[in-house]
Amino acid sequence: ASRGAMDIEGFGEQRAQLFTHLDPETGTRLITDVGDIYTIDWGVILGMEGFGEIAVRNLQAAIESSRSRPLANLLVGLNIRHLGGTMAELVAMGMGSLDAIMDASEDDLVALDGVGPIIARSVHEFFQSDANRAVVEKLRAAGLNFDGPERPDVPQTLEGISIVVTGTLDGFTREEIEEAVKSRGGKAPGSVSKKTTAVVLGRDPGQAKATKAEELGIPTIDEAAFRHLLDTGELPG
């Protein structure tokens, strides 16, 4: 299925160009920006070549369903330079709402886990534009979802803490380890560095990571201590 304006299925590039084409009779365009998608005059569309009732109904349904999509989809649909789906999810989760993103400084954005300076600058600059903010207000009036995903309802015991796990843990899959750390505000990078707080050694740990931890003087802990760390944010004394 084709996607184009606002990342809406069926609203591909050709259709988007058709809708923005200048009407020689009226001197106006059906839409001037993506914010106008939600106020399209469907009576006019039905009279256009290639737009029968079924095609119009399908497009109307796709547009309607886009109102309640996750904030990350909206960010992608705004076509912010450098911002793809994965990064949009990080920004949406980290900032919590479109209004918070619009008001965020570059420093606020680059402080989000996984968001680099290029994306932070691009997002910040996008929302400094009065034209882009006007589009956002059209989308607000159309009732689109501006709220990000709810933060996990768990104590943020690992804020500022970076945990590397190597080897197998009995009570966690690899995905569950990462989720357990990140949901508590921590970071779970794949490699050991000076910024690492602790290295968890499971069964059959990677020797390179264990050696690097020893060289850098980083504490190594077992699964029981890892569970204690998740609960309290404290390393064993």
Side-chain angles (χ1 to χ4, degrees), residues 1-201:
S2 61
R3 293 182 182 273
M6 283 300 294
D7 196 35
I8 295 173
E9 184 175 336
F11 213 131
E13 184 177 348
Q14 288 185 336
R15 282 186 170 176
Q17 289 178 349
L18 182 63
F19 284 15
T20 57
H21 182 69
L22 185 68
D23 186 331
E25 294 184 6
T26 64
T28 61
R29 292 177 171 84
L30 286 170
I31 61 174
T32 57
D33 55 54
V34 294
D36 294 331
I37 289 173
Y38 299 90
T39 55
I40 288 175
D41 184 340
W42 292 105
V44 174
I45 301 300
L46 274 169
M48 295 171 63
E49 183 178 353
F51 285 92
E53 290 187 12
I54 294 177
V56 166
R57 279 203 304 270
N58 290 340
L59 191 52
Q60 283 178 312
I63 290 173
E64 187 62 31
S65 67
S66 72
R67 296 178 194 265
S68 58
R69 289 185 306 179
L71 176 57
N73 293 72
L74 173 54
L75 292 173
V76 171
L78 288 172
N79 197 28
I80 301 171
R81 190 180 183 193
H82 302 305
L83 190 69
T86 300
M87 289 297 105
E89 290 179 4
L90 291 177
V91 172
M93 173 67 81
M95 298 306 301
S97 72
L98 185 57
D99 288 306
I101 295 168
M102 290 170 64
D103 293 338
S105 66
E106 283 188 46
D107 288 342
D108 292 333
L109 292 163
V110 84
L112 300 176
D113 187 23
V115 177
I118 293 176
I119 290 175
R121 184 177 306 113
S122 182
V123 172
H124 176 70
E125 290 179 351
F126 181 89
F127 290 112
Q128 295 309 296
S129 161
D130 289 340
N132 290 338
R133 282 180 172 261
V135 170
V136 169
E137 292 312 310
K138 289 182 181 180
L139 299 176
R140 189 194 305 276
L144 270 72
N145 172 44
F146 278 24
D147 293 328
E150 293 186 10
R151 295 175 182 270
D153 188 20
V154 295
Q156 298 299 287
T157 52
L158 301 184
E159 284 194 56
I161 291 178
S162 177
I163 306 296
V164 174
V165 178
T166 178
T168 302
L169 301 186
D170 291 331
F172 299 86
T173 64
R174 182 63 54 183
E175 292 75 17
E176 287 170 344
I177 291 169
E178 186 171 345
E179 174 62 23
V181 173
K182 290 186 174 181
S183 68
R184 290 166 173 77
K187 297 181 180 181
S191 59
V192 179
S193 72
K194 292 180 179 178
K195 296 181 179 180
T196 303
T197 306
V199 174
V200 183
L201 301 180

